[in-house]
Amino acid sequence: MRNEFIETINVAKFNAVCDELADPASLIGPSLAMVTGPAGRGKTEAARHYAIHSNAVYVPPFNIRTPAMVLREIAFELGRVRPGRSETCLALITEEMAKERRLILVDEADLLPMQILEMIRNLNERCACPVILIGEDGLKGKIESRRRLSSRVRRRLEFSPVMQQDVAFFFKRCMDLMVSPDVAALILKHSRGDWRPVLTAAIGIERAMLASNLSECTLEMVKDVLKNIDA
């Protein structure tokens, strides 16, 4: 199985939001965005992929976060240094953003305390840096509970469930395998709209095909694979 990034409808919408905020035109009006959806929909992979293929800054999840830790992470991505003082971080971020305005992608923002979300809002205003907050559905309630935050959100995007065409395209792209609509539908039902169960199923199917020296993915074989996964 090849490690390929799958361009889904969700990814296309996500990239469009990123491009809009990264564009200098977003200096006019709010320059915050919120991307939400249950775990497993592909939000993190979309954010990492966009950051790798652009000048955007990706702020990964932390088990423990403080305002200073977040500022140091952003400062490091921009200037390759981690100042000890928050004031120095802010000065560095302001300086780097003046040189080149870059989009900041904050992952698992739903787990951030309100203090850090407010700090990010202040950073957005002070440094004129566009920010996309990414998280599960709880992020919406946090943002909407504070008028100062919600009024500055330019775009809101909800990651929809994985579609049957996404499943079929994944098998074709990553495994050179054409699956029937029945097989794709069964895997989609098993996944409940998330990517991780699709990947787990694909690993099991590939193993079963190799063990049986098969070149075709049959419905019965997939049923057996999924039954073993659920066992």
Side-chain angles (χ1 to χ4, degrees):
M1 185 188 305
R2 292 189 299 274
N3 184 16
E4 296 273 354
F5 182 78
I6 305 301
E7 296 276 356
T8 64
I9 294 175
N10 281 328
V11 170
K13 291 179 178 179
F14 179 84
N15 289 345
V17 172
C18 291
D19 289 344
E20 179 179 338
L21 263 71
D23 192 289
S26 70
L27 284 167
I28 302 173
S31 55
L32 285 175
M34 176 172 59
V35 175
T36 55
R41 295 283 171 86
K43 303 183 301 299
T44 292
E45 290 305 313
R48 287 174 175 166
H49 187 265
Y50 188 88
I52 290 171
H53 294 87
S54 70
N55 67 350
V57 173
Y58 174 73
V59 181
F62 297 98
N63 290 331
I64 300 174
R65 289 184 179 183
T66 65
M69 288 173 63
V70 174
L71 285 175
R72 279 196 290 270
E73 188 68 24
I74 295 172
F76 178 77
E77 291 297 328
L78 292 172
R80 312 317 294 176
V81 293
R82 286 190 174 90
R85 293 170 56 86
S86 295
E87 293 83 357
T88 309
C89 288
L90 284 170
L92 175 63
I93 293 169
T94 301
E95 179 183 347
E96 293 297 325
M97 283 291 173
K99 295 177 184 176
E100 182 183 20
R101 186 168 177 267
R102 298 169 64 182
L103 175 65
I104 298 176
L105 304 164
V106 182
D107 204 0
E108 293 193 4
D110 55 307
L111 301 180
L112 296 177
M114 192 59 69
Q115 178 188 15
I116 295 182
L117 292 176
E118 289 283 10
M119 183 270 292
I120 291 173
R121 175 187 62 82
N122 289 330
L123 184 68
N124 166 255
E125 295 175 352
R126 172 173 174 167
C127 304
C129 54
V131 178
I132 295 184
L133 300 171
I134 304 165
E136 295 188 34
D137 290 340
L139 179 61
K140 292 184 283 190
K142 282 189 172 183
I143 296 297
E144 300 305 331
S145 70
R146 295 291 179 95
R147 177 75 178 165
R148 288 192 302 270
L149 281 168
S150 63
S151 65
R152 288 171 171 81
V153 176
R154 183 187 191 100
R155 294 286 301 274
R156 291 167 169 81
L157 173 63
E158 177 80 16
F159 262 53
S160 58
V162 173
M163 302 173 65
Q164 185 169 323
Q165 66 192 53
D166 296 330
V167 174
F169 184 64
F170 170 83
F171 276 85
K172 181 180 178 182
R173 182 72 176 270
C174 298
M175 298 174 63
D176 292 324
L177 192 62
M178 299 293 293
V179 297
S180 68
D182 287 345
V183 167
L186 182 61
I187 296 171
L188 177 64
K189 182 180 179 180
H190 168 78
S191 75
R192 298 182 180 180
D194 296 341
W195 271 114
R196 292 183 187 120
V198 173
L199 179 58
T200 302
I203 293 170
I205 290 168
E206 183 178 50
R207 185 183 300 117
M209 291 180 66
L210 288 172
S212 303
N213 197 26
L214 296 174
S215 60
E216 183 180 352
C217 179
T218 66
L219 184 61
E220 290 304 316
M221 181 190 69
V222 173
K223 287 180 179 179
D224 289 339
V225 168
L226 297 182
K227 185 184 299 182
N228 290 330
I229 290 174
D230 293 333

